[in-house]
Amino acid sequence: MSKSSLYVLAAVLLAVSTTACAQNSDRRAQARQAMMDKLKAADVNNDGYIDREEADASLPRVAKGFDQLDADQDGRLSSDELKQAASMARQRFRR
């Protein structure tokens, strides 16, 4: 393989890998936005928290683990508690 062919191949591989990384980043951003939209819609009283009733009504997975997610046991899930849950889920997924 000539030097120029090797450079062309390297450029093509770089372009493909850059495109794949951008697509993965876009998918992650879209998934994150979809989850934010779903949580916002679930917060029917617009108090900034998800209480058990709201979780039961539209977030079955959250409702199932509500007690474990509610770190301060105040009967509602804050954005920090939801972020912590999402972080733990990502760590489990990567294993």
PDB file of all heavy atoms in Angstrom, residues 38-80:
ATOM      1  N   LYS A  38     -40.034  13.736  30.123  1.00  0.00           N
ATOM      2  CA  LYS A  38     -40.914  12.779  30.795  1.00  0.00           C
ATOM      3  C   LYS A  38     -41.050  13.123  32.286  1.00  0.00           C
ATOM      4  O   LYS A  38     -42.146  13.074  32.849  1.00  0.00           O
ATOM      5  CB  LYS A  38     -40.359  11.366  30.616  1.00  0.00           C
ATOM      6  CG  LYS A  38     -41.299  10.281  31.012  1.00  0.00           C
ATOM      7  CD  LYS A  38     -40.749   8.924  30.596  1.00  0.00           C
ATOM      8  CE  LYS A  38     -41.763   7.841  30.882  1.00  0.00           C
ATOM      9  NZ  LYS A  38     -41.342   6.548  30.407  1.00  0.00           N
ATOM     10  N   LEU A  39     -39.935  13.477  32.924  1.00  0.00           N
ATOM     11  CA  LEU A  39     -39.977  13.854  34.336  1.00  0.00           C
ATOM     12  C   LEU A  39     -40.774  15.143  34.541  1.00  0.00           C
ATOM     13  O   LEU A  39     -41.559  15.247  35.487  1.00  0.00           O
ATOM     14  CB  LEU A  39     -38.560  14.011  34.887  1.00  0.00           C
ATOM     15  CG  LEU A  39     -37.767  12.721  35.040  1.00  0.00           C
ATOM     16  CD1 LEU A  39     -36.313  13.032  35.349  1.00  0.00           C
ATOM     17  CD2 LEU A  39     -38.375  11.833  36.101  1.00  0.00           C
ATOM     18  N   LYS A  40     -40.565  16.094  33.652  1.00  0.00           N
ATOM     19  CA  LYS A  40     -41.297  17.363  33.756  1.00  0.00           C
ATOM     20  C   LYS A  40     -42.798  17.121  33.599  1.00  0.00           C
ATOM     21  O   LYS A  40     -43.606  17.699  34.328  1.00  0.00           O
ATOM     22  CB  LYS A  40     -40.798  18.338  32.692  1.00  0.00           C
ATOM     23  CG  LYS A  40     -41.256  19.738  32.884  1.00  0.00           C
ATOM     24  CD  LYS A  40     -40.543  20.681  31.929  1.00  0.00           C
ATOM     25  CE  LYS A  40     -40.760  22.097  32.380  1.00  0.00           C
ATOM     26  NZ  LYS A  40     -39.932  23.032  31.653  1.00  0.00           N
ATOM     27  N   ALA A  41     -43.176  16.274  32.670  1.00  0.00           N
ATOM     28  CA  ALA A  41     -44.591  15.952  32.463  1.00  0.00           C
ATOM     29  C   ALA A  41     -45.166  15.207  33.667  1.00  0.00           C
ATOM     30  O   ALA A  41     -46.338  15.390  34.008  1.00  0.00           O
ATOM     31  CB  ALA A  41     -44.763  15.122  31.190  1.00  0.00           C
ATOM     32  N   ALA A  42     -44.354  14.393  34.333  1.00  0.00           N
ATOM     33  CA  ALA A  42     -44.824  13.629  35.488  1.00  0.00           C
ATOM     34  C   ALA A  42     -45.081  14.531  36.696  1.00  0.00           C
ATOM     35  O   ALA A  42     -45.920  14.223  37.540  1.00  0.00           O
ATOM     36  CB  ALA A  42     -43.814  12.548  35.854  1.00  0.00           C
ATOM     37  N   ASP A  43     -44.388  15.644  36.753  1.00  0.00           N
ATOM     38  CA  ASP A  43     -44.536  16.583  37.873  1.00  0.00           C
ATOM     39  C   ASP A  43     -45.787  17.439  37.650  1.00  0.00           C
ATOM     40  O   ASP A  43     -45.713  18.618  37.349  1.00  0.00           O
ATOM     41  CB  ASP A  43     -43.283  17.454  37.991  1.00  0.00           C
ATOM     42  CG  ASP A  43     -43.331  18.431  39.158  1.00  0.00           C
ATOM     43  OD1 ASP A  43     -44.150  18.226  40.070  1.00  0.00           O
ATOM     44  OD2 ASP A  43     -42.554  19.401  39.133  1.00  0.00           O
ATOM     45  N   VAL A  44     -46.945  16.814  37.822  1.00  0.00           N
ATOM     46  CA  VAL A  44     -48.212  17.466  37.466  1.00  0.00           C
ATOM     47  C   VAL A  44     -48.527  18.680  38.337  1.00  0.00           C
ATOM     48  O   VAL A  44     -49.211  19.600  37.890  1.00  0.00           O
ATOM     49  CB  VAL A  44     -49.405  16.478  37.474  1.00  0.00           C
ATOM     50  CG1 VAL A  44     -49.242  15.442  36.377  1.00  0.00           C
ATOM     51  CG2 VAL A  44     -49.571  15.817  38.816  1.00  0.00           C
ATOM     52  N   ASN A  45     -48.051  18.723  39.574  1.00  0.00           N
ATOM     53  CA  ASN A  45     -48.323  19.893  40.410  1.00  0.00           C
ATOM     54  C   ASN A  45     -47.238  20.964  40.285  1.00  0.00           C
ATOM     55  O   ASN A  45     -47.280  21.991  40.953  1.00  0.00           O
ATOM     56  CB  ASN A  45     -48.514  19.488  41.878  1.00  0.00           C
ATOM     57  CG  ASN A  45     -47.273  18.891  42.498  1.00  0.00           C
ATOM     58  OD1 ASN A  45     -46.214  18.809  41.885  1.00  0.00           O
ATOM     59  ND2 ASN A  45     -47.420  18.435  43.738  1.00  0.00           N
ATOM     60  N   ASN A  46     -46.253  20.723  39.422  1.00  0.00           N
ATOM     61  CA  ASN A  46     -45.180  21.682  39.113  1.00  0.00           C
ATOM     62  C   ASN A  46     -44.443  22.202  40.340  1.00  0.00           C
ATOM     63  O   ASN A  46     -44.052  23.371  40.389  1.00  0.00           O
ATOM     64  CB  ASN A  46     -45.731  22.854  38.294  1.00  0.00           C
ATOM     65  CG  ASN A  46     -46.191  22.431  36.933  1.00  0.00           C
ATOM     66  OD1 ASN A  46     -45.488  21.701  36.232  1.00  0.00           O
ATOM     67  ND2 ASN A  46     -47.385  22.844  36.551  1.00  0.00           N
ATOM     68  N   ASP A  47     -44.206  21.329  41.311  1.00  0.00           N
ATOM     69  CA  ASP A  47     -43.465  21.766  42.496  1.00  0.00           C
ATOM     70  C   ASP A  47     -41.968  21.474  42.401  1.00  0.00           C
ATOM     71  O   ASP A  47     -41.209  21.790  43.302  1.00  0.00           O
ATOM     72  CB  ASP A  47     -44.046  21.143  43.764  1.00  0.00           C
ATOM     73  CG  ASP A  47     -43.862  19.631  43.845  1.00  0.00           C
ATOM     74  OD1 ASP A  47     -43.424  19.017  42.853  1.00  0.00           O
ATOM     75  OD2 ASP A  47     -44.175  19.069  44.911  1.00  0.00           O
ATOM     76  N   GLY A  48     -41.544  20.862  41.288  1.00  0.00           N
ATOM     77  CA  GLY A  48     -40.127  20.559  41.103  1.00  0.00           C
ATOM     78  C   GLY A  48     -39.706  19.223  41.694  1.00  0.00           C
ATOM     79  O   GLY A  48     -38.520  18.894  41.700  1.00  0.00           O
ATOM     80  N   TYR A  49     -40.651  18.452  42.201  1.00  0.00           N
ATOM     81  CA  TYR A  49     -40.382  17.148  42.795  1.00  0.00           C
ATOM     82  C   TYR A  49     -41.331  16.117  42.191  1.00  0.00           C
ATOM     83  O   TYR A  49     -42.401  16.455  41.714  1.00  0.00           O
ATOM     84  CB  TYR A  49     -40.617  17.172  44.312  1.00  0.00           C
ATOM     85  CG  TYR A  49     -39.698  18.097  45.054  1.00  0.00           C
ATOM     86  CD1 TYR A  49     -40.047  19.419  45.281  1.00  0.00           C
ATOM     87  CD2 TYR A  49     -38.471  17.653  45.534  1.00  0.00           C
ATOM     88  CE1 TYR A  49     -39.210  20.277  45.968  1.00  0.00           C
ATOM     89  CE2 TYR A  49     -37.624  18.506  46.221  1.00  0.00           C
ATOM     90  CZ  TYR A  49     -37.996  19.816  46.433  1.00  0.00           C
ATOM     91  OH  TYR A  49     -37.155  20.656  47.115  1.00  0.00           O
ATOM     92  N   ILE A  50     -40.929  14.858  42.275  1.00  0.00           N
ATOM     93  CA  ILE A  50     -41.801  13.744  41.891  1.00  0.00           C
ATOM     94  C   ILE A  50     -42.202  13.051  43.192  1.00  0.00           C
ATOM     95  O   ILE A  50     -41.350  12.501  43.897  1.00  0.00           O
ATOM     96  CB  ILE A  50     -41.081  12.738  40.963  1.00  0.00           C
ATOM     97  CG1 ILE A  50     -40.552  13.409  39.701  1.00  0.00           C
ATOM     98  CG2 ILE A  50     -41.992  11.557  40.642  1.00  0.00           C
ATOM     99  CD1 ILE A  50     -41.606  13.970  38.784  1.00  0.00           C
ATOM    100  N   ASP A  51     -43.488  13.120  43.516  1.00  0.00           N
ATOM    101  CA  ASP A  51     -43.947  12.417  44.716  1.00  0.00           C
ATOM    102  C   ASP A  51     -44.423  11.019  44.310  1.00  0.00           C
ATOM    103  O   ASP A  51     -44.463  10.673  43.133  1.00  0.00           O
ATOM    104  CB  ASP A  51     -45.028  13.199  45.468  1.00  0.00           C
ATOM    105  CG  ASP A  51     -46.280  13.468  44.652  1.00  0.00           C
ATOM    106  OD1 ASP A  51     -46.697  12.586  43.865  1.00  0.00           O
ATOM    107  OD2 ASP A  51     -46.861  14.558  44.808  1.00  0.00           O
ATOM    108  N   ARG A  52     -44.742  10.206  45.292  1.00  0.00           N
ATOM    109  CA  ARG A  52     -45.106   8.815  45.026  1.00  0.00           C
ATOM    110  C   ARG A  52     -46.316   8.730  44.087  1.00  0.00           C
ATOM    111  O   ARG A  52     -46.358   7.912  43.174  1.00  0.00           O
ATOM    112  CB  ARG A  52     -45.398   8.069  46.317  1.00  0.00           C
ATOM    113  CG  ARG A  52     -45.688   6.587  46.085  1.00  0.00           C
ATOM    114  CD  ARG A  52     -45.904   5.844  47.368  1.00  0.00           C
ATOM    115  NE  ARG A  52     -44.753   5.878  48.240  1.00  0.00           N
ATOM    116  CZ  ARG A  52     -43.674   5.095  48.098  1.00  0.00           C
ATOM    117  NH1 ARG A  52     -43.602   4.235  47.115  1.00  0.00           N
ATOM    118  NH2 ARG A  52     -42.680   5.175  48.952  1.00  0.00           N
ATOM    119  N   GLU A  53     -47.302   9.573  44.311  1.00  0.00           N
ATOM    120  CA  GLU A  53     -48.509   9.553  43.478  1.00  0.00           C
ATOM    121  C   GLU A  53     -48.178   9.872  42.016  1.00  0.00           C
ATOM    122  O   GLU A  53     -48.677   9.214  41.105  1.00  0.00           O
ATOM    123  CB  GLU A  53     -49.512  10.576  44.021  1.00  0.00           C
ATOM    124  CG  GLU A  53     -50.893  10.456  43.431  1.00  0.00           C
ATOM    125  CD  GLU A  53     -51.857  11.394  44.132  1.00  0.00           C
ATOM    126  OE1 GLU A  53     -52.134  11.162  45.321  1.00  0.00           O
ATOM    127  OE2 GLU A  53     -52.309  12.355  43.476  1.00  0.00           O
ATOM    128  N   GLU A  54     -47.320  10.844  41.801  1.00  0.00           N
ATOM    129  CA  GLU A  54     -46.912  11.194  40.439  1.00  0.00           C
ATOM    130  C   GLU A  54     -46.121  10.055  39.809  1.00  0.00           C
ATOM    131  O   GLU A  54     -46.311   9.739  38.630  1.00  0.00           O
ATOM    132  CB  GLU A  54     -46.084  12.483  40.448  1.00  0.00           C
ATOM    133  CG  GLU A  54     -46.894  13.716  40.795  1.00  0.00           C
ATOM    134  CD  GLU A  54     -46.053  14.929  41.088  1.00  0.00           C
ATOM    135  OE1 GLU A  54     -44.887  14.799  41.531  1.00  0.00           O
ATOM    136  OE2 GLU A  54     -46.573  16.051  40.871  1.00  0.00           O
ATOM    137  N   ALA A  55     -45.248   9.433  40.587  1.00  0.00           N
ATOM    138  CA  ALA A  55     -44.470   8.303  40.075  1.00  0.00           C
ATOM    139  C   ALA A  55     -45.391   7.141  39.724  1.00  0.00           C
ATOM    140  O   ALA A  55     -45.257   6.532  38.652  1.00  0.00           O
ATOM    141  CB  ALA A  55     -43.425   7.871  41.097  1.00  0.00           C
ATOM    142  N   ASP A  56     -46.339   6.850  40.620  1.00  0.00           N
ATOM    143  CA  ASP A  56     -47.286   5.757  40.360  1.00  0.00           C
ATOM    144  C   ASP A  56     -48.083   5.999  39.084  1.00  0.00           C
ATOM    145  O   ASP A  56     -48.374   5.069  38.334  1.00  0.00           O
ATOM    146  CB  ASP A  56     -48.256   5.579  41.533  1.00  0.00           C
ATOM    147  CG  ASP A  56     -47.611   4.945  42.748  1.00  0.00           C
ATOM    148  OD1 ASP A  56     -46.562   4.293  42.603  1.00  0.00           O
ATOM    149  OD2 ASP A  56     -48.166   5.115  43.858  1.00  0.00           O
ATOM    150  N   ALA A  57     -48.432   7.261  38.842  1.00  0.00           N
ATOM    151  CA  ALA A  57     -49.278   7.599  37.701  1.00  0.00           C
ATOM    152  C   ALA A  57     -48.565   7.486  36.353  1.00  0.00           C
ATOM    153  O   ALA A  57     -49.181   7.101  35.362  1.00  0.00           O
ATOM    154  CB  ALA A  57     -49.836   9.013  37.864  1.00  0.00           C
ATOM    155  N   SER A  58     -47.268   7.818  36.300  1.00  0.00           N
ATOM    156  CA  SER A  58     -46.654   7.866  34.970  1.00  0.00           C
ATOM    157  C   SER A  58     -45.211   7.379  34.883  1.00  0.00           C
ATOM    158  O   SER A  58     -44.639   7.378  33.792  1.00  0.00           O
ATOM    159  CB  SER A  58     -46.722   9.294  34.429  1.00  0.00           C
ATOM    160  OG  SER A  58     -46.043  10.177  35.294  1.00  0.00           O
ATOM    161  N   LEU A  59     -44.626   6.982  35.992  1.00  0.00           N
ATOM    162  CA  LEU A  59     -43.233   6.522  35.977  1.00  0.00           C
ATOM    163  C   LEU A  59     -43.116   5.185  36.716  1.00  0.00           C
ATOM    164  O   LEU A  59     -42.605   5.123  37.836  1.00  0.00           O
ATOM    165  CB  LEU A  59     -42.321   7.572  36.633  1.00  0.00           C
ATOM    166  CG  LEU A  59     -42.314   8.961  36.015  1.00  0.00           C
ATOM    167  CD1 LEU A  59     -41.614   9.948  36.932  1.00  0.00           C
ATOM    168  CD2 LEU A  59     -41.664   8.941  34.645  1.00  0.00           C
ATOM    169  N   PRO A  60     -43.563   4.094  36.098  1.00  0.00           N
ATOM    170  CA  PRO A  60     -43.601   2.808  36.808  1.00  0.00           C
ATOM    171  C   PRO A  60     -42.247   2.330  37.327  1.00  0.00           C
ATOM    172  O   PRO A  60     -42.182   1.772  38.425  1.00  0.00           O
ATOM    173  CB  PRO A  60     -44.184   1.840  35.780  1.00  0.00           C
ATOM    174  CG  PRO A  60     -44.098   2.524  34.465  1.00  0.00           C
ATOM    175  CD  PRO A  60     -44.035   3.997  34.726  1.00  0.00           C
ATOM    176  N   ARG A  61     -41.182   2.552  36.604  1.00  0.00           N
ATOM    177  CA  ARG A  61     -39.857   2.114  37.080  1.00  0.00           C
ATOM    178  C   ARG A  61     -39.427   2.925  38.290  1.00  0.00           C
ATOM    179  O   ARG A  61     -38.841   2.398  39.224  1.00  0.00           O
ATOM    180  CB  ARG A  61     -38.812   2.242  35.981  1.00  0.00           C
ATOM    181  CG  ARG A  61     -38.907   1.182  34.935  1.00  0.00           C
ATOM    182  CD  ARG A  61     -37.808   1.361  33.945  1.00  0.00           C
ATOM    183  NE  ARG A  61     -37.631   0.172  33.166  1.00  0.00           N
ATOM    184  CZ  ARG A  61     -36.783   0.077  32.177  1.00  0.00           C
ATOM    185  NH1 ARG A  61     -36.045   1.107  31.839  1.00  0.00           N
ATOM    186  NH2 ARG A  61     -36.675  -1.039  31.500  1.00  0.00           N
ATOM    187  N   VAL A  62     -39.696   4.225  38.250  1.00  0.00           N
ATOM    188  CA  VAL A  62     -39.376   5.083  39.386  1.00  0.00           C
ATOM    189  C   VAL A  62     -40.239   4.680  40.575  1.00  0.00           C
ATOM    190  O   VAL A  62     -39.756   4.580  41.708  1.00  0.00           O
ATOM    191  CB  VAL A  62     -39.575   6.574  39.020  1.00  0.00           C
ATOM    192  CG1 VAL A  62     -39.452   7.468  40.242  1.00  0.00           C
ATOM    193  CG2 VAL A  62     -38.583   6.998  37.939  1.00  0.00           C
ATOM    194  N   ALA A  63     -41.514   4.444  40.325  1.00  0.00           N
ATOM    195  CA  ALA A  63     -42.434   4.060  41.396  1.00  0.00           C
ATOM    196  C   ALA A  63     -41.979   2.767  42.072  1.00  0.00           C
ATOM    197  O   ALA A  63     -42.035   2.644  43.299  1.00  0.00           O
ATOM    198  CB  ALA A  63     -43.846   3.906  40.845  1.00  0.00           C
ATOM    199  N   LYS A  64     -41.503   1.832  41.277  1.00  0.00           N
ATOM    200  CA  LYS A  64     -41.080   0.532  41.812  1.00  0.00           C
ATOM    201  C   LYS A  64     -39.938   0.686  42.818  1.00  0.00           C
ATOM    202  O   LYS A  64     -39.903   0.019  43.845  1.00  0.00           O
ATOM    203  CB  LYS A  64     -40.654  -0.386  40.667  1.00  0.00           C
ATOM    204  CG  LYS A  64     -40.292  -1.777  41.099  1.00  0.00           C
ATOM    205  CD  LYS A  64     -39.975  -2.650  39.907  1.00  0.00           C
ATOM    206  CE  LYS A  64     -39.591  -4.052  40.358  1.00  0.00           C
ATOM    207  NZ  LYS A  64     -39.270  -4.904  39.224  1.00  0.00           N
ATOM    208  N   GLY A  65     -39.011   1.579  42.532  1.00  0.00           N
ATOM    209  CA  GLY A  65     -37.863   1.772  43.424  1.00  0.00           C
ATOM    210  C   GLY A  65     -37.926   3.067  44.215  1.00  0.00           C
ATOM    211  O   GLY A  65     -36.897   3.554  44.693  1.00  0.00           O
ATOM    212  N   PHE A  66     -39.122   3.600  44.375  1.00  0.00           N
ATOM    213  CA  PHE A  66     -39.280   4.927  44.979  1.00  0.00           C
ATOM    214  C   PHE A  66     -38.575   5.034  46.334  1.00  0.00           C
ATOM    215  O   PHE A  66     -37.842   5.990  46.585  1.00  0.00           O
ATOM    216  CB  PHE A  66     -40.770   5.278  45.129  1.00  0.00           C
ATOM    217  CG  PHE A  66     -41.012   6.714  45.465  1.00  0.00           C
ATOM    218  CD1 PHE A  66     -41.217   7.647  44.467  1.00  0.00           C
ATOM    219  CD2 PHE A  66     -41.039   7.141  46.790  1.00  0.00           C
ATOM    220  CE1 PHE A  66     -41.425   8.973  44.773  1.00  0.00           C
ATOM    221  CE2 PHE A  66     -41.256   8.466  47.100  1.00  0.00           C
ATOM    222  CZ  PHE A  66     -41.447   9.394  46.083  1.00  0.00           C
ATOM    223  N   ASP A  67     -38.792   4.083  47.214  1.00  0.00           N
ATOM    224  CA  ASP A  67     -38.206   4.164  48.561  1.00  0.00           C
ATOM    225  C   ASP A  67     -36.679   4.170  48.531  1.00  0.00           C
ATOM    226  O   ASP A  67     -36.048   4.855  49.336  1.00  0.00           O
ATOM    227  CB  ASP A  67     -38.709   3.023  49.444  1.00  0.00           C
ATOM    228  CG  ASP A  67     -40.185   3.169  49.782  1.00  0.00           C
ATOM    229  OD1 ASP A  67     -40.680   4.323  49.827  1.00  0.00           O
ATOM    230  OD2 ASP A  67     -40.853   2.131  49.978  1.00  0.00           O
ATOM    231  N   GLN A  68     -36.089   3.415  47.609  1.00  0.00           N
ATOM    232  CA  GLN A  68     -34.634   3.399  47.496  1.00  0.00           C
ATOM    233  C   GLN A  68     -34.106   4.704  46.891  1.00  0.00           C
ATOM    234  O   GLN A  68     -33.032   5.164  47.251  1.00  0.00           O
ATOM    235  CB  GLN A  68     -34.157   2.215  46.643  1.00  0.00           C
ATOM    236  CG  GLN A  68     -34.360   0.866  47.285  1.00  0.00           C
ATOM    237  CD  GLN A  68     -35.802   0.376  47.172  1.00  0.00           C
ATOM    238  OE1 GLN A  68     -36.533   0.762  46.278  1.00  0.00           O
ATOM    239  NE2 GLN A  68     -36.205  -0.457  48.107  1.00  0.00           N
ATOM    240  N   LEU A  69     -34.867   5.283  45.989  1.00  0.00           N
ATOM    241  CA  LEU A  69     -34.449   6.524  45.338  1.00  0.00           C
ATOM    242  C   LEU A  69     -34.605   7.734  46.261  1.00  0.00           C
ATOM    243  O   LEU A  69     -33.859   8.699  46.161  1.00  0.00           O
ATOM    244  CB  LEU A  69     -35.260   6.756  44.057  1.00  0.00           C
ATOM    245  CG  LEU A  69     -35.128   5.691  42.975  1.00  0.00           C
ATOM    246  CD1 LEU A  69     -36.100   5.982  41.836  1.00  0.00           C
ATOM    247  CD2 LEU A  69     -33.707   5.615  42.467  1.00  0.00           C
ATOM    248  N   ASP A  70     -35.567   7.683  47.160  1.00  0.00           N
ATOM    249  CA  ASP A  70     -35.865   8.791  48.066  1.00  0.00           C
ATOM    250  C   ASP A  70     -34.857   8.785  49.217  1.00  0.00           C
ATOM    251  O   ASP A  70     -35.153   8.369  50.337  1.00  0.00           O
ATOM    252  CB  ASP A  70     -37.306   8.659  48.574  1.00  0.00           C
ATOM    253  CG  ASP A  70     -37.750   9.851  49.389  1.00  0.00           C
ATOM    254  OD1 ASP A  70     -37.064  10.892  49.381  1.00  0.00           O
ATOM    255  OD2 ASP A  70     -38.802   9.741  50.043  1.00  0.00           O
ATOM    256  N   ALA A  71     -33.652   9.270  48.934  1.00  0.00           N
ATOM    257  CA  ALA A  71     -32.537   9.178  49.880  1.00  0.00           C
ATOM    258  C   ALA A  71     -32.828   9.843  51.217  1.00  0.00           C
ATOM    259  O   ALA A  71     -32.435   9.333  52.265  1.00  0.00           O
ATOM    260  CB  ALA A  71     -31.286   9.793  49.261  1.00  0.00           C
ATOM    261  N   ASP A  72     -33.516  10.966  51.213  1.00  0.00           N
ATOM    262  CA  ASP A  72     -33.791  11.657  52.476  1.00  0.00           C
ATOM    263  C   ASP A  72     -35.143  11.271  53.081  1.00  0.00           C
ATOM    264  O   ASP A  72     -35.549  11.812  54.113  1.00  0.00           O
ATOM    265  CB  ASP A  72     -33.692  13.170  52.316  1.00  0.00           C
ATOM    266  CG  ASP A  72     -34.668  13.735  51.295  1.00  0.00           C
ATOM    267  OD1 ASP A  72     -35.544  12.988  50.796  1.00  0.00           O
ATOM    268  OD2 ASP A  72     -34.548  14.942  50.994  1.00  0.00           O
ATOM    269  N   GLN A  73     -35.821  10.322  52.437  1.00  0.00           N
ATOM    270  CA  GLN A  73     -37.091   9.774  52.929  1.00  0.00           C
ATOM    271  C   GLN A  73     -38.126  10.852  53.260  1.00  0.00           C
ATOM    272  O   GLN A  73     -38.863  10.746  54.220  1.00  0.00           O
ATOM    273  CB  GLN A  73     -36.834   8.883  54.154  1.00  0.00           C
ATOM    274  CG  GLN A  73     -35.938   7.684  53.875  1.00  0.00           C
ATOM    275  CD  GLN A  73     -36.504   6.735  52.841  1.00  0.00           C
ATOM    276  OE1 GLN A  73     -37.591   6.212  53.025  1.00  0.00           O
ATOM    277  NE2 GLN A  73     -35.784   6.520  51.751  1.00  0.00           N
ATOM    278  N   ASP A  74     -38.199  11.877  52.364  1.00  0.00           N
ATOM    279  CA  ASP A  74     -39.194  12.928  52.579  1.00  0.00           C
ATOM    280  C   ASP A  74     -40.465  12.727  51.760  1.00  0.00           C
ATOM    281  O   ASP A  74     -41.341  13.578  51.735  1.00  0.00           O
ATOM    282  CB  ASP A  74     -38.599  14.310  52.305  1.00  0.00           C
ATOM    283  CG  ASP A  74     -38.211  14.530  50.850  1.00  0.00           C
ATOM    284  OD1 ASP A  74     -38.265  13.560  50.055  1.00  0.00           O
ATOM    285  OD2 ASP A  74     -37.853  15.670  50.495  1.00  0.00           O
ATOM    286  N   GLY A  75     -40.552  11.588  51.055  1.00  0.00           N
ATOM    287  CA  GLY A  75     -41.756  11.283  50.295  1.00  0.00           C
ATOM    288  C   GLY A  75     -41.811  11.910  48.923  1.00  0.00           C
ATOM    289  O   GLY A  75     -42.841  11.868  48.254  1.00  0.00           O
ATOM    290  N   ARG A  76     -40.712  12.478  48.494  1.00  0.00           N
ATOM    291  CA  ARG A  76     -40.650  13.070  47.155  1.00  0.00           C
ATOM    292  C   ARG A  76     -39.217  12.968  46.646  1.00  0.00           C
ATOM    293  O   ARG A  76     -38.267  12.916  47.421  1.00  0.00           O
ATOM    294  CB  ARG A  76     -41.140  14.509  47.172  1.00  0.00           C
ATOM    295  CG  ARG A  76     -40.366  15.398  48.097  1.00  0.00           C
ATOM    296  CD  ARG A  76     -41.013  16.745  48.262  1.00  0.00           C
ATOM    297  NE  ARG A  76     -40.081  17.634  48.966  1.00  0.00           N
ATOM    298  CZ  ARG A  76     -40.239  18.919  49.064  1.00  0.00           C
ATOM    299  NH1 ARG A  76     -41.280  19.506  48.522  1.00  0.00           N
ATOM    300  NH2 ARG A  76     -39.360  19.642  49.703  1.00  0.00           N
ATOM    301  N   LEU A  77     -39.098  12.937  45.329  1.00  0.00           N
ATOM    302  CA  LEU A  77     -37.790  12.805  44.700  1.00  0.00           C
ATOM    303  C   LEU A  77     -37.360  14.156  44.143  1.00  0.00           C
ATOM    304  O   LEU A  77     -38.050  14.749  43.317  1.00  0.00           O
ATOM    305  CB  LEU A  77     -37.839  11.772  43.580  1.00  0.00           C
ATOM    306  CG  LEU A  77     -38.272  10.369  43.998  1.00  0.00           C
ATOM    307  CD1 LEU A  77     -38.374   9.457  42.784  1.00  0.00           C
ATOM    308  CD2 LEU A  77     -37.313   9.796  45.023  1.00  0.00           C
ATOM    309  N   SER A  78     -36.217  14.612  44.596  1.00  0.00           N
ATOM    310  CA  SER A  78     -35.655  15.869  44.108  1.00  0.00           C
ATOM    311  C   SER A  78     -34.841  15.611  42.844  1.00  0.00           C
ATOM    312  O   SER A  78     -34.539  14.458  42.499  1.00  0.00           O
ATOM    313  CB  SER A  78     -34.747  16.485  45.170  1.00  0.00           C
ATOM    314  OG  SER A  78     -33.594  15.675  45.358  1.00  0.00           O
ATOM    315  N   SER A  79     -34.451  16.676  42.185  1.00  0.00           N
ATOM    316  CA  SER A  79     -33.614  16.516  40.991  1.00  0.00           C
ATOM    317  C   SER A  79     -32.283  15.878  41.357  1.00  0.00           C
ATOM    318  O   SER A  79     -31.743  15.068  40.601  1.00  0.00           O
ATOM    319  CB  SER A  79     -33.407  17.852  40.279  1.00  0.00           C
ATOM    320  OG  SER A  79     -32.757  18.768  41.131  1.00  0.00           O
ATOM    321  N   ASP A  80     -31.740  16.198  42.533  1.00  0.00           N
ATOM    322  CA  ASP A  80     -30.482  15.577  42.964  1.00  0.00           C
ATOM    323  C   ASP A  80     -30.638  14.072  43.177  1.00  0.00           C
ATOM    324  O   ASP A  80     -29.761  13.298  42.799  1.00  0.00           O
ATOM    325  CB  ASP A  80     -29.973  16.223  44.254  1.00  0.00           C
ATOM    326  CG  ASP A  80     -29.413  17.621  44.029  1.00  0.00           C
ATOM    327  OD1 ASP A  80     -29.065  17.949  42.878  1.00  0.00           O
ATOM    328  OD2 ASP A  80     -29.334  18.378  45.013  1.00  0.00           O
TER     329      ASP A  80
END
